[in-house]
Amino acid sequence: MDIAELKVINIKSEILCRSAEDDFYYFNKINLAYKKLKEAVNLTPNHLKSLIFLADVTFIKGYIKKALDLYLKAETINNKNIKILASAANCLYITSDYTNALKYCNKAISMFDGENYIVLGQVFEIKMNILILQKEYKQAYETLKTVKRIFNTSDLKSNSLFNYEFLNEKISIQKKIQKSNLKIV
């Protein structure tokens, strides 16, 4: 049986990951953290903590497609982790792969366990932005109503993440166009 199959973690990977956390968070040494995390993942490819942190640092360094590949690899280890799914959605959104970004947004939303509201809010924001870019205003509005229900906000207009007035205006315009029977040539 292969070591990767046994899910054995090389202790050096854990040490490198923790050292990279110090370098990144306390000393602002992003490149050194990146180097240590790459080594940690090379030593133990299935060390989820190192893999996610490497993906995060890779994203921060601006290597979006590399970060996406790392998040997708992390997903194969844990496909129910909302942070992994949300991060993949964000990378796909940035690379303008809106169809797959929406799929990952929906996966992340479906994995919400009532704990990580900050990530969930970011996922909803990505989803709303994509729906608005695709001119799917009714679907965006329905998503906004879901946000209202989940975040228990009494007033849609008070939710600072999303522009209620913008959506309302776009839906109104679409209804007027449908009623007028105008055709665009």
Side-chain angles (χ1 to χ4, degrees), residues 124-173:
F124 273 118
E125 187 172 12
I126 292 167
K127 184 174 180 175
M128 294 287 295
N129 288 339
I130 292 168
L131 292 171
I132 289 169
L133 282 169
Q134 295 178 333
K135 299 183 189 306
E136 297 288 340
Y137 304 118
K138 287 181 183 178
Q139 201 175 348
Y141 185 77
E142 290 303 315
T143 301
L144 185 59
K145 287 181 5 184
T146 302
V147 169
K148 176 187 172 196
R149 188 179 68 252
I150 290 173
F151 287 92
N152 200 19
T153 55
S154 59
D155 182 11
L156 285 173
K157 294 177 185 179
S158 69
N159 191 337
S160 63
L161 288 177
F162 310 109
N163 192 338
Y164 169 79
E165 286 82 14
F166 174 80
L167 278 177
N168 209 17
E169 180 183 326
K170 291 295 186 179
I171 292 169
S172 176
I173 291 170

mmCIF file of all heavy atoms in Angstrom, residues 124-173:
data_model
loop_
_atom_site.group_PDB
_atom_site.id
_atom_site.type_symbol
_atom_site.label_atom_id
_atom_site.label_comp_id
_atom_site.label_asym_id
_atom_site.label_seq_id
_atom_site.Cartn_x
_atom_site.Cartn_y
_atom_site.Cartn_z
ATOM 1 N N PHE A 124 -21.998 33.997 -1.974
ATOM 2 C CA PHE A 124 -23.214 34.621 -2.495
ATOM 3 C C PHE A 124 -22.878 35.864 -3.312
ATOM 4 O O PHE A 124 -23.507 36.137 -4.336
ATOM 5 C CB PHE A 124 -24.182 34.971 -1.370
ATOM 6 C CG PHE A 124 -25.109 33.845 -1.003
ATOM 7 C CD1 PHE A 124 -25.077 33.297 0.270
ATOM 8 C CD2 PHE A 124 -26.011 33.338 -1.921
ATOM 9 C CE1 PHE A 124 -25.930 32.262 0.616
ATOM 10 C CE2 PHE A 124 -26.870 32.306 -1.589
ATOM 11 C CZ PHE A 124 -26.822 31.767 -0.312
ATOM 12 N N GLU A 125 -21.888 36.617 -2.876
ATOM 13 C CA GLU A 125 -21.495 37.808 -3.629
ATOM 14 C C GLU A 125 -20.962 37.428 -5.008
ATOM 15 O O GLU A 125 -21.314 38.050 -6.017
ATOM 16 C CB GLU A 125 -20.445 38.605 -2.846
ATOM 17 C CG GLU A 125 -20.119 39.921 -3.496
ATOM 18 C CD GLU A 125 -19.232 40.803 -2.630
ATOM 19 O OE1 GLU A 125 -18.680 40.326 -1.626
ATOM 20 O OE2 GLU A 125 -19.097 41.982 -2.980
ATOM 21 N N ILE A 126 -20.130 36.388 -5.069
ATOM 22 C CA ILE A 126 -19.619 35.916 -6.366
ATOM 23 C C ILE A 126 -20.778 35.468 -7.248
ATOM 24 O O ILE A 126 -20.867 35.827 -8.427
ATOM 25 C CB ILE A 126 -18.599 34.762 -6.171
ATOM 26 C CG1 ILE A 126 -17.327 35.274 -5.506
ATOM 27 C CG2 ILE A 126 -18.272 34.092 -7.507
ATOM 28 C CD1 ILE A 126 -16.403 34.166 -5.002
ATOM 29 N N LYS A 127 -21.673 34.686 -6.663
ATOM 30 C CA LYS A 127 -22.823 34.192 -7.426
ATOM 31 C C LYS A 127 -23.676 35.339 -7.959
ATOM 32 O O LYS A 127 -24.064 35.342 -9.131
ATOM 33 C CB LYS A 127 -23.671 33.257 -6.552
ATOM 34 C CG LYS A 127 -24.827 32.639 -7.294
ATOM 35 C CD LYS A 127 -25.566 31.618 -6.455
ATOM 36 C CE LYS A 127 -26.712 31.027 -7.264
ATOM 37 N NZ LYS A 127 -27.396 29.957 -6.539
ATOM 38 N N MET A 128 -23.943 36.308 -7.115
ATOM 39 C CA MET A 128 -24.736 37.467 -7.541
ATOM 40 C C MET A 128 -24.035 38.217 -8.677
ATOM 41 O O MET A 128 -24.680 38.596 -9.661
ATOM 42 C CB MET A 128 -24.971 38.420 -6.367
ATOM 43 C CG MET A 128 -25.825 37.854 -5.262
ATOM 44 S SD MET A 128 -27.545 37.745 -5.696
ATOM 45 C CE MET A 128 -27.925 39.460 -5.873
ATOM 46 N N ASN A 129 -22.736 38.438 -8.547
ATOM 47 C CA ASN A 129 -21.984 39.141 -9.587
ATOM 48 C C ASN A 129 -22.060 38.401 -10.916
ATOM 49 O O ASN A 129 -22.229 39.021 -11.970
ATOM 50 C CB ASN A 129 -20.528 39.330 -9.166
ATOM 51 C CG ASN A 129 -20.368 40.360 -8.078
ATOM 52 O OD1 ASN A 129 -21.226 41.212 -7.876
ATOM 53 N ND2 ASN A 129 -19.274 40.277 -7.352
ATOM 54 N N ILE A 130 -21.936 37.081 -10.870
ATOM 55 C CA ILE A 130 -22.000 36.286 -12.104
ATOM 56 C C ILE A 130 -23.394 36.389 -12.721
ATOM 57 O O ILE A 130 -23.536 36.611 -13.928
ATOM 58 C CB ILE A 130 -21.629 34.816 -11.834
ATOM 59 C CG1 ILE A 130 -20.154 34.707 -11.459
ATOM 60 C CG2 ILE A 130 -21.943 33.946 -13.050
ATOM 61 C CD1 ILE A 130 -19.755 33.349 -10.904
ATOM 62 N N LEU A 131 -24.413 36.220 -11.902
ATOM 63 C CA LEU A 131 -25.781 36.298 -12.427
ATOM 64 C C LEU A 131 -26.074 37.658 -13.034
ATOM 65 O O LEU A 131 -26.733 37.759 -14.073
ATOM 66 C CB LEU A 131 -26.782 35.956 -11.317
ATOM 67 C CG LEU A 131 -26.746 34.496 -10.843
ATOM 68 C CD1 LEU A 131 -27.618 34.319 -9.602
ATOM 69 C CD2 LEU A 131 -27.163 33.555 -11.956
ATOM 70 N N ILE A 132 -25.574 38.707 -12.420
ATOM 71 C CA ILE A 132 -25.770 40.050 -12.966
ATOM 72 C C ILE A 132 -24.992 40.209 -14.277
ATOM 73 O O ILE A 132 -25.527 40.753 -15.249
ATOM 74 C CB ILE A 132 -25.382 41.120 -11.930
ATOM 75 C CG1 ILE A 132 -26.419 41.134 -10.801
ATOM 76 C CG2 ILE A 132 -25.263 42.498 -12.574
ATOM 77 C CD1 ILE A 132 -26.031 41.947 -9.588
ATOM 78 N N LEU A 133 -23.763 39.712 -14.337
ATOM 79 C CA LEU A 133 -22.989 39.769 -15.583
ATOM 80 C C LEU A 133 -23.693 39.022 -16.709
ATOM 81 O O LEU A 133 -23.628 39.429 -17.863
ATOM 82 C CB LEU A 133 -21.589 39.159 -15.377
ATOM 83 C CG LEU A 133 -20.569 40.019 -14.667
ATOM 84 C CD1 LEU A 133 -19.334 39.198 -14.302
ATOM 85 C CD2 LEU A 133 -20.165 41.189 -15.543
ATOM 86 N N GLN A 134 -24.365 37.928 -16.351
ATOM 87 C CA GLN A 134 -25.079 37.128 -17.349
ATOM 88 C C GLN A 134 -26.498 37.638 -17.596
ATOM 89 O O GLN A 134 -27.257 37.008 -18.327
ATOM 90 C CB GLN A 134 -25.115 35.659 -16.915
ATOM 91 C CG GLN A 134 -23.752 35.017 -16.880
ATOM 92 C CD GLN A 134 -23.801 33.574 -16.401
ATOM 93 O OE1 GLN A 134 -24.687 33.167 -15.657
ATOM 94 N NE2 GLN A 134 -22.836 32.795 -16.840
ATOM 95 N N LYS A 135 -26.830 38.759 -16.956
ATOM 96 C CA LYS A 135 -28.142 39.393 -17.088
ATOM 97 C C LYS A 135 -29.276 38.459 -16.650
ATOM 98 O O LYS A 135 -30.385 38.500 -17.181
ATOM 99 C CB LYS A 135 -28.363 39.913 -18.502
ATOM 100 C CG LYS A 135 -27.353 40.966 -18.900
ATOM 101 C CD LYS A 135 -27.643 41.508 -20.274
ATOM 102 C CE LYS A 135 -26.627 42.360 -20.839
ATOM 103 N NZ LYS A 135 -25.996 43.411 -20.507
ATOM 104 N N GLU A 136 -28.984 37.630 -15.680
ATOM 105 C CA GLU A 136 -29.967 36.725 -15.078
ATOM 106 C C GLU A 136 -30.508 37.393 -13.814
ATOM 107 O O GLU A 136 -30.307 36.937 -12.698
ATOM 108 C CB GLU A 136 -29.314 35.374 -14.739
ATOM 109 C CG GLU A 136 -28.793 34.612 -15.922
ATOM 110 C CD GLU A 136 -29.902 34.027 -16.779
ATOM 111 O OE1 GLU A 136 -31.042 33.887 -16.284
ATOM 112 O OE2 GLU A 136 -29.634 33.713 -17.949
ATOM 113 N N TYR A 137 -31.221 38.503 -14.020
ATOM 114 C CA TYR A 137 -31.641 39.341 -12.908
ATOM 115 C C TYR A 137 -32.668 38.667 -11.999
ATOM 116 O O TYR A 137 -32.626 38.834 -10.785
ATOM 117 C CB TYR A 137 -32.157 40.689 -13.412
ATOM 118 C CG TYR A 137 -31.143 41.421 -14.253
ATOM 119 C CD1 TYR A 137 -31.400 41.725 -15.581
ATOM 120 C CD2 TYR A 137 -29.903 41.782 -13.725
ATOM 121 C CE1 TYR A 137 -30.462 42.389 -16.358
ATOM 122 C CE2 TYR A 137 -28.959 42.443 -14.488
ATOM 123 C CZ TYR A 137 -29.243 42.741 -15.803
ATOM 124 O OH TYR A 137 -28.311 43.381 -16.561
ATOM 125 N N LYS A 138 -33.578 37.908 -12.579
ATOM 126 C CA LYS A 138 -34.574 37.230 -11.747
ATOM 127 C C LYS A 138 -33.907 36.191 -10.848
ATOM 128 O O LYS A 138 -34.235 36.078 -9.670
ATOM 129 C CB LYS A 138 -35.649 36.579 -12.619
ATOM 130 C CG LYS A 138 -36.597 37.582 -13.240
ATOM 131 C CD LYS A 138 -37.657 36.904 -14.068
ATOM 132 C CE LYS A 138 -38.537 37.952 -14.728
ATOM 133 N NZ LYS A 138 -39.549 37.355 -15.591
ATOM 134 N N GLN A 139 -32.980 35.457 -11.414
ATOM 135 C CA GLN A 139 -32.248 34.460 -10.625
ATOM 136 C C GLN A 139 -31.404 35.149 -9.550
ATOM 137 O O GLN A 139 -31.311 34.670 -8.431
ATOM 138 C CB GLN A 139 -31.370 33.616 -11.552
ATOM 139 C CG GLN A 139 -30.972 32.303 -10.966
ATOM 140 C CD GLN A 139 -30.212 31.445 -11.969
ATOM 141 O OE1 GLN A 139 -30.160 31.733 -13.166
ATOM 142 N NE2 GLN A 139 -29.619 30.394 -11.468
ATOM 143 N N ALA A 140 -30.832 36.289 -9.903
ATOM 144 C CA ALA A 140 -30.059 37.062 -8.930
ATOM 145 C C ALA A 140 -30.965 37.541 -7.800
ATOM 146 O O ALA A 140 -30.578 37.497 -6.621
ATOM 147 C CB ALA A 140 -29.380 38.251 -9.609
ATOM 148 N N TYR A 141 -32.169 37.957 -8.152
ATOM 149 C CA TYR A 141 -33.116 38.412 -7.141
ATOM 150 C C TYR A 141 -33.520 37.264 -6.223
ATOM 151 O O TYR A 141 -33.604 37.432 -5.003
ATOM 152 C CB TYR A 141 -34.340 39.042 -7.804
ATOM 153 C CG TYR A 141 -35.305 39.637 -6.816
ATOM 154 C CD1 TYR A 141 -35.038 40.860 -6.218
ATOM 155 C CD2 TYR A 141 -36.474 38.966 -6.466
ATOM 156 C CE1 TYR A 141 -35.914 41.416 -5.292
ATOM 157 C CE2 TYR A 141 -37.356 39.504 -5.545
ATOM 158 C CZ TYR A 141 -37.066 40.727 -4.966
ATOM 159 O OH TYR A 141 -37.919 41.265 -4.050
ATOM 160 N N GLU A 142 -33.747 36.087 -6.806
ATOM 161 C CA GLU A 142 -34.092 34.906 -5.995
ATOM 162 C C GLU A 142 -32.930 34.553 -5.059
ATOM 163 O O GLU A 142 -33.153 34.189 -3.905
ATOM 164 C CB GLU A 142 -34.445 33.717 -6.884
ATOM 165 C CG GLU A 142 -35.755 33.864 -7.616
ATOM 166 C CD GLU A 142 -36.941 34.106 -6.693
ATOM 167 O OE1 GLU A 142 -37.051 33.410 -5.659
ATOM 168 O OE2 GLU A 142 -37.744 35.010 -6.991
ATOM 169 N N THR A 143 -31.722 34.699 -5.558
ATOM 170 C CA THR A 143 -30.540 34.452 -4.734
ATOM 171 C C THR A 143 -30.483 35.469 -3.601
ATOM 172 O O THR A 143 -30.162 35.123 -2.458
ATOM 173 C CB THR A 143 -29.252 34.513 -5.593
ATOM 174 O OG1 THR A 143 -29.354 33.528 -6.630
ATOM 175 C CG2 THR A 143 -28.015 34.252 -4.760
ATOM 176 N N LEU A 144 -30.818 36.691 -3.916
ATOM 177 C CA LEU A 144 -30.844 37.745 -2.899
ATOM 178 C C LEU A 144 -31.868 37.423 -1.807
ATOM 179 O O LEU A 144 -31.603 37.630 -0.618
ATOM 180 C CB LEU A 144 -31.151 39.085 -3.554
ATOM 181 C CG LEU A 144 -31.097 40.321 -2.671
ATOM 182 C CD1 LEU A 144 -29.712 40.487 -2.054
ATOM 183 C CD2 LEU A 144 -31.446 41.552 -3.480
ATOM 184 N N LYS A 145 -33.012 36.872 -2.203
ATOM 185 C CA LYS A 145 -34.009 36.478 -1.209
ATOM 186 C C LYS A 145 -33.474 35.344 -0.330
ATOM 187 O O LYS A 145 -33.737 35.321 0.872
ATOM 188 C CB LYS A 145 -35.320 36.079 -1.899
ATOM 189 C CG LYS A 145 -36.063 37.282 -2.436
ATOM 190 C CD LYS A 145 -37.384 37.046 -3.136
ATOM 191 C CE LYS A 145 -37.992 35.727 -3.207
ATOM 192 N NZ LYS A 145 -39.226 35.660 -4.012
ATOM 193 N N THR A 146 -32.713 34.444 -0.915
ATOM 194 C CA THR A 146 -32.091 33.363 -0.143
ATOM 195 C C THR A 146 -31.108 33.937 0.864
ATOM 196 O O THR A 146 -31.060 33.506 2.021
ATOM 197 C CB THR A 146 -31.369 32.366 -1.083
ATOM 198 O OG1 THR A 146 -32.309 31.845 -2.015
ATOM 199 C CG2 THR A 146 -30.711 31.238 -0.308
ATOM 200 N N VAL A 147 -30.334 34.926 0.416
ATOM 201 C CA VAL A 147 -29.384 35.599 1.313
ATOM 202 C C VAL A 147 -30.139 36.208 2.482
ATOM 203 O O VAL A 147 -29.734 36.074 3.640
ATOM 204 C CB VAL A 147 -28.572 36.680 0.565
ATOM 205 C CG1 VAL A 147 -27.797 37.544 1.528
ATOM 206 C CG2 VAL A 147 -27.648 36.045 -0.451
ATOM 207 N N LYS A 148 -31.244 36.850 2.182
ATOM 208 C CA LYS A 148 -32.055 37.483 3.234
ATOM 209 C C LYS A 148 -32.502 36.451 4.251
ATOM 210 O O LYS A 148 -32.419 36.670 5.459
ATOM 211 C CB LYS A 148 -33.264 38.174 2.613
ATOM 212 C CG LYS A 148 -34.202 38.774 3.636
ATOM 213 C CD LYS A 148 -35.461 39.297 2.990
ATOM 214 C CE LYS A 148 -36.444 39.714 4.067
ATOM 215 N NZ LYS A 148 -37.776 39.882 3.571
ATOM 216 N N ARG A 149 -32.929 35.303 3.764
ATOM 217 C CA ARG A 149 -33.415 34.253 4.651
ATOM 218 C C ARG A 149 -32.276 33.669 5.498
ATOM 219 O O ARG A 149 -32.409 33.527 6.716
ATOM 220 C CB ARG A 149 -34.085 33.152 3.829
ATOM 221 C CG ARG A 149 -34.799 32.109 4.659
ATOM 222 C CD ARG A 149 -35.488 31.034 3.827
ATOM 223 N NE ARG A 149 -34.514 30.201 3.135
ATOM 224 C CZ ARG A 149 -34.274 30.232 1.821
ATOM 225 N NH1 ARG A 149 -34.933 31.056 1.044
ATOM 226 N NH2 ARG A 149 -33.383 29.449 1.267
ATOM 227 N N ILE A 150 -31.149 33.379 4.873
ATOM 228 C CA ILE A 150 -30.026 32.759 5.592
ATOM 229 C C ILE A 150 -29.403 33.712 6.596
ATOM 230 O O ILE A 150 -29.100 33.342 7.723
ATOM 231 C CB ILE A 150 -28.964 32.238 4.604
ATOM 232 C CG1 ILE A 150 -29.510 31.026 3.845
ATOM 233 C CG2 ILE A 150 -27.669 31.868 5.327
ATOM 234 C CD1 ILE A 150 -28.631 30.531 2.733
ATOM 235 N N PHE A 151 -29.202 34.951 6.165
ATOM 236 C CA PHE A 151 -28.541 35.916 7.044
ATOM 237 C C PHE A 151 -29.532 36.633 7.953
ATOM 238 O O PHE A 151 -29.144 37.490 8.732
ATOM 239 C CB PHE A 151 -27.733 36.928 6.220
ATOM 240 C CG PHE A 151 -26.494 36.322 5.646
ATOM 241 C CD1 PHE A 151 -26.490 35.763 4.379
ATOM 242 C CD2 PHE A 151 -25.317 36.287 6.375
ATOM 243 C CE1 PHE A 151 -25.350 35.192 3.848
ATOM 244 C CE2 PHE A 151 -24.173 35.720 5.850
ATOM 245 C CZ PHE A 151 -24.193 35.168 4.591
ATOM 246 N N ASN A 152 -30.820 36.275 7.809
ATOM 247 C CA ASN A 152 -31.864 36.800 8.675
ATOM 248 C C ASN A 152 -31.881 38.328 8.708
ATOM 249 O O ASN A 152 -31.955 38.948 9.761
ATOM 250 C CB ASN A 152 -31.719 36.239 10.095
ATOM 251 C CG ASN A 152 -33.006 36.364 10.875
ATOM 252 O OD1 ASN A 152 -34.071 36.526 10.300
ATOM 253 N ND2 ASN A 152 -32.893 36.304 12.190
ATOM 254 N N THR A 153 -31.773 38.925 7.515
ATOM 255 C CA THR A 153 -31.859 40.383 7.431
ATOM 256 C C THR A 153 -33.302 40.747 7.149
ATOM 257 O O THR A 153 -33.939 40.172 6.271
ATOM 258 C CB THR A 153 -30.954 40.952 6.316
ATOM 259 O OG1 THR A 153 -31.281 40.323 5.081
ATOM 260 C CG2 THR A 153 -29.487 40.732 6.622
ATOM 261 N N SER A 154 -33.831 41.694 7.867
ATOM 262 C CA SER A 154 -35.240 42.053 7.735
ATOM 263 C C SER A 154 -35.504 42.911 6.507
ATOM 264 O O SER A 154 -36.603 42.946 6.004
ATOM 265 C CB SER A 154 -35.708 42.774 8.989
ATOM 266 O OG SER A 154 -34.924 43.932 9.176
ATOM 267 N N ASP A 155 -34.496 43.595 6.027
ATOM 268 C CA ASP A 155 -34.682 44.516 4.913
ATOM 269 C C ASP A 155 -33.646 44.230 3.830
ATOM 270 O O ASP A 155 -32.452 44.310 4.069
ATOM 271 C CB ASP A 155 -34.533 45.961 5.421
ATOM 272 C CG ASP A 155 -34.758 46.994 4.333
ATOM 273 O OD1 ASP A 155 -35.236 46.628 3.239
ATOM 274 O OD2 ASP A 155 -34.450 48.164 4.588
ATOM 275 N N LEU A 156 -34.099 43.884 2.632
ATOM 276 C CA LEU A 156 -33.171 43.608 1.535
ATOM 277 C C LEU A 156 -32.265 44.798 1.251
ATOM 278 O O LEU A 156 -31.115 44.643 0.893
ATOM 279 C CB LEU A 156 -33.942 43.255 0.257
ATOM 280 C CG LEU A 156 -34.572 41.875 0.192
ATOM 281 C CD1 LEU A 156 -35.429 41.759 -1.061
ATOM 282 C CD2 LEU A 156 -33.537 40.789 0.226
ATOM 283 N N LYS A 157 -32.785 45.984 1.416
ATOM 284 C CA LYS A 157 -32.006 47.181 1.106
ATOM 285 C C LYS A 157 -30.855 47.383 2.084
ATOM 286 O O LYS A 157 -29.886 48.045 1.772
ATOM 287 C CB LYS A 157 -32.909 48.412 1.110
ATOM 288 C CG LYS A 157 -33.941 48.395 0.007
ATOM 289 C CD LYS A 157 -34.849 49.598 0.090
ATOM 290 C CE LYS A 157 -35.950 49.489 -0.949
ATOM 291 N NZ LYS A 157 -36.868 50.610 -0.884
ATOM 292 N N SER A 158 -30.960 46.784 3.271
ATOM 293 C CA SER A 158 -29.912 46.993 4.278
ATOM 294 C C SER A 158 -28.703 46.086 4.074
ATOM 295 O O SER A 158 -27.672 46.295 4.682
ATOM 296 C CB SER A 158 -30.477 46.757 5.675
ATOM 297 O OG SER A 158 -30.758 45.386 5.850
ATOM 298 N N ASN A 159 -28.832 45.090 3.214
ATOM 299 C CA ASN A 159 -27.720 44.171 3.000
ATOM 300 C C ASN A 159 -26.667 44.845 2.124
ATOM 301 O O ASN A 159 -26.868 45.064 0.944
ATOM 302 C CB ASN A 159 -28.222 42.880 2.349
ATOM 303 C CG ASN A 159 -27.178 41.804 2.358
ATOM 304 O OD1 ASN A 159 -25.991 42.097 2.444
ATOM 305 N ND2 ASN A 159 -27.611 40.566 2.283
ATOM 306 N N SER A 160 -25.538 45.163 2.703
ATOM 307 C CA SER A 160 -24.515 45.938 2.000
ATOM 308 C C SER A 160 -23.784 45.143 0.932
ATOM 309 O O SER A 160 -23.115 45.723 0.091
ATOM 310 C CB SER A 160 -23.506 46.490 3.005
ATOM 311 O OG SER A 160 -22.839 45.427 3.651
ATOM 312 N N LEU A 161 -23.898 43.807 0.944
ATOM 313 C CA LEU A 161 -23.183 43.013 -0.056
ATOM 314 C C LEU A 161 -23.804 43.149 -1.447
ATOM 315 O O LEU A 161 -23.124 43.016 -2.448
ATOM 316 C CB LEU A 161 -23.199 41.529 0.325
ATOM 317 C CG LEU A 161 -22.341 41.099 1.485
ATOM 318 C CD1 LEU A 161 -22.551 39.611 1.761
ATOM 319 C CD2 LEU A 161 -20.874 41.367 1.215
ATOM 320 N N PHE A 162 -25.097 43.391 -1.498
ATOM 321 C CA PHE A 162 -25.782 43.322 -2.773
ATOM 322 C C PHE A 162 -26.600 44.586 -3.023
ATOM 323 O O PHE A 162 -27.135 45.175 -2.105
ATOM 324 C CB PHE A 162 -26.690 42.094 -2.790
ATOM 325 C CG PHE A 162 -25.959 40.855 -2.363
ATOM 326 C CD1 PHE A 162 -26.230 40.260 -1.153
ATOM 327 C CD2 PHE A 162 -24.973 40.304 -3.153
ATOM 328 C CE1 PHE A 162 -25.552 39.129 -0.742
ATOM 329 C CE2 PHE A 162 -24.288 39.177 -2.752
ATOM 330 C CZ PHE A 162 -24.579 38.586 -1.551
ATOM 331 N N ASN A 163 -26.711 44.939 -4.281
ATOM 332 C CA ASN A 163 -27.388 46.165 -4.653
ATOM 333 C C ASN A 163 -28.836 45.867 -5.046
ATOM 334 O O ASN A 163 -29.138 45.584 -6.198
ATOM 335 C CB ASN A 163 -26.633 46.838 -5.794
ATOM 336 C CG ASN A 163 -27.099 48.238 -6.025
ATOM 337 O OD1 ASN A 163 -28.207 48.606 -5.657
ATOM 338 N ND2 ASN A 163 -26.267 49.033 -6.651
ATOM 339 N N TYR A 164 -29.711 45.955 -4.076
ATOM 340 C CA TYR A 164 -31.131 45.674 -4.281
ATOM 341 C C TYR A 164 -31.744 46.588 -5.326
ATOM 342 O O TYR A 164 -32.471 46.141 -6.214
ATOM 343 C CB TYR A 164 -31.872 45.798 -2.950
ATOM 344 C CG TYR A 164 -33.366 45.780 -3.083
ATOM 345 C CD1 TYR A 164 -34.046 44.580 -3.264
ATOM 346 C CD2 TYR A 164 -34.116 46.954 -3.039
ATOM 347 C CE1 TYR A 164 -35.419 44.547 -3.399
ATOM 348 C CE2 TYR A 164 -35.491 46.927 -3.168
ATOM 349 C CZ TYR A 164 -36.128 45.719 -3.357
ATOM 350 O OH TYR A 164 -37.480 45.686 -3.498
ATOM 351 N N GLU A 165 -31.453 47.870 -5.241
ATOM 352 C CA GLU A 165 -32.051 48.825 -6.169
ATOM 353 C C GLU A 165 -31.652 48.509 -7.616
ATOM 354 O O GLU A 165 -32.466 48.599 -8.527
ATOM 355 C CB GLU A 165 -31.638 50.270 -5.825
ATOM 356 C CG GLU A 165 -32.318 50.838 -4.602
ATOM 357 C CD GLU A 165 -31.676 50.417 -3.290
ATOM 358 O OE1 GLU A 165 -30.534 49.899 -3.308
ATOM 359 O OE2 GLU A 165 -32.323 50.583 -2.253
ATOM 360 N N PHE A 166 -30.405 48.148 -7.821
ATOM 361 C CA PHE A 166 -29.919 47.810 -9.160
ATOM 362 C C PHE A 166 -30.719 46.634 -9.723
ATOM 363 O O PHE A 166 -31.195 46.686 -10.864
ATOM 364 C CB PHE A 166 -28.421 47.484 -9.108
ATOM 365 C CG PHE A 166 -27.868 46.979 -10.408
ATOM 366 C CD1 PHE A 166 -27.540 47.858 -11.428
ATOM 367 C CD2 PHE A 166 -27.680 45.621 -10.624
ATOM 368 C CE1 PHE A 166 -27.038 47.398 -12.642
ATOM 369 C CE2 PHE A 166 -27.180 45.146 -11.822
ATOM 370 C CZ PHE A 166 -26.863 46.041 -12.835
ATOM 371 N N LEU A 167 -30.864 45.577 -8.942
ATOM 372 C CA LEU A 167 -31.601 44.402 -9.403
ATOM 373 C C LEU A 167 -33.066 44.735 -9.674
ATOM 374 O O LEU A 167 -33.628 44.308 -10.681
ATOM 375 C CB LEU A 167 -31.541 43.290 -8.352
ATOM 376 C CG LEU A 167 -30.297 42.441 -8.343
ATOM 377 C CD1 LEU A 167 -30.358 41.428 -7.205
ATOM 378 C CD2 LEU A 167 -30.114 41.726 -9.656
ATOM 379 N N ASN A 168 -33.650 45.465 -8.787
ATOM 380 C CA ASN A 168 -35.046 45.841 -8.942
ATOM 381 C C ASN A 168 -35.250 46.630 -10.238
ATOM 382 O O ASN A 168 -36.206 46.405 -10.984
ATOM 383 C CB ASN A 168 -35.497 46.650 -7.728
ATOM 384 C CG ASN A 168 -36.954 46.493 -7.440
ATOM 385 O OD1 ASN A 168 -37.593 45.569 -7.913
ATOM 386 N ND2 ASN A 168 -37.485 47.403 -6.651
ATOM 387 N N GLU A 169 -34.331 47.553 -10.507
ATOM 388 C CA GLU A 169 -34.405 48.362 -11.727
ATOM 389 C C GLU A 169 -34.253 47.480 -12.972
ATOM 390 O O GLU A 169 -35.010 47.628 -13.937
ATOM 391 C CB GLU A 169 -33.297 49.419 -11.692
ATOM 392 C CG GLU A 169 -33.263 50.320 -12.908
ATOM 393 C CD GLU A 169 -32.091 51.299 -12.861
ATOM 394 O OE1 GLU A 169 -31.741 51.738 -11.749
ATOM 395 O OE2 GLU A 169 -31.543 51.585 -13.925
ATOM 396 N N LYS A 170 -33.308 46.563 -12.973
ATOM 397 C CA LYS A 170 -33.075 45.699 -14.139
ATOM 398 C C LYS A 170 -34.271 44.780 -14.387
ATOM 399 O O LYS A 170 -34.667 44.585 -15.539
ATOM 400 C CB LYS A 170 -31.800 44.852 -13.942
ATOM 401 C CG LYS A 170 -30.529 45.665 -13.978
ATOM 402 C CD LYS A 170 -30.311 46.273 -15.347
ATOM 403 C CE LYS A 170 -28.981 46.974 -15.441
ATOM 404 N NZ LYS A 170 -28.726 47.557 -16.737
ATOM 405 N N ILE A 171 -34.844 44.232 -13.337
ATOM 406 C CA ILE A 171 -36.017 43.376 -13.489
ATOM 407 C C ILE A 171 -37.184 44.192 -14.035
ATOM 408 O O ILE A 171 -37.906 43.743 -14.929
ATOM 409 C CB ILE A 171 -36.385 42.700 -12.152
ATOM 410 C CG1 ILE A 171 -35.302 41.679 -11.773
ATOM 411 C CG2 ILE A 171 -37.744 42.026 -12.229
ATOM 412 C CD1 ILE A 171 -35.424 41.140 -10.368
ATOM 413 N N SER A 172 -37.334 45.397 -13.543
ATOM 414 C CA SER A 172 -38.394 46.288 -14.020
ATOM 415 C C SER A 172 -38.219 46.592 -15.506
ATOM 416 O O SER A 172 -39.191 46.560 -16.275
ATOM 417 C CB SER A 172 -38.381 47.573 -13.199
ATOM 418 O OG SER A 172 -39.315 48.479 -13.684
ATOM 419 N N ILE A 173 -37.003 46.869 -15.931
ATOM 420 C CA ILE A 173 -36.720 47.148 -17.343
ATOM 421 C C ILE A 173 -37.039 45.931 -18.201
ATOM 422 O O ILE A 173 -37.651 46.046 -19.265
ATOM 423 C CB ILE A 173 -35.257 47.606 -17.544
ATOM 424 C CG1 ILE A 173 -35.067 48.998 -16.930
ATOM 425 C CG2 ILE A 173 -34.864 47.591 -19.010
ATOM 426 C CD1 ILE A 173 -33.611 49.442 -16.859
#
